[in-house]
Amino acid sequence: MPNIKSAKKRVLVSSTKTLRNKMIRSNLKTVLKQADAAVASKADNMEAAVTLAIKKVDQACAKGVLPKNTASRKKASLARKLNAAKA
């Protein structure tokens, strides 16, 4: 444990941010899995699931949890799968 006051604060802040990022990343993974499952089974709610997943990817990117190119790649992958399932 650090002795300096500013270092103690950094430990608290970093642990708070780690928890926040973990929560966002975990929720994102769950939504992405649900969207993939909906598209794979060609469920009637697959468009809604993909729309929600894209929204969550954008939110994670805006909060700095995902890099911009990673978010773009995930969204493009979802769109490809959805279009293939529709065809």
Side-chain angles (χ1 to χ4, degrees):
M1 195 66 190
N3 294 325
I4 299 168
K5 186 177 180 181
S6 62
K8 289 178 184 177
K9 181 178 179 181
R10 295 311 316 162
V11 167
L12 293 174
V13 169
S14 67
S15 64
T16 303
K17 287 186 176 187
T18 300
L19 288 174
R20 174 181 158 269
N21 289 342
K22 185 181 279 191
M23 179 189 67
I24 293 169
R25 197 173 292 120
S26 173
N27 187 13
L28 177 65
K29 286 180 185 178
T30 302
V31 171
L32 286 173
K33 284 181 187 175
Q34 289 171 348
D36 280 341
V39 170
S41 65
K42 295 189 178 183
D44 54 349
N45 67 339
M46 69 179 174
E47 288 187 34
V50 169
T51 304
L52 177 65
I54 288 175
K55 179 181 176 185
K56 291 294 183 181
V57 168
D58 283 335
Q59 287 176 343
C61 183
K63 294 196 182 281
V65 177
L66 283 182
K68 186 172 64 170
N69 287 347
T70 303
S72 179
R73 189 176 65 244
K74 288 187 183 295
K75 291 188 326 188
S77 173
L78 283 169
R80 271 196 310 270
K81 289 176 187 174
L82 179 64
N83 290 337
K86 282 183 181 178

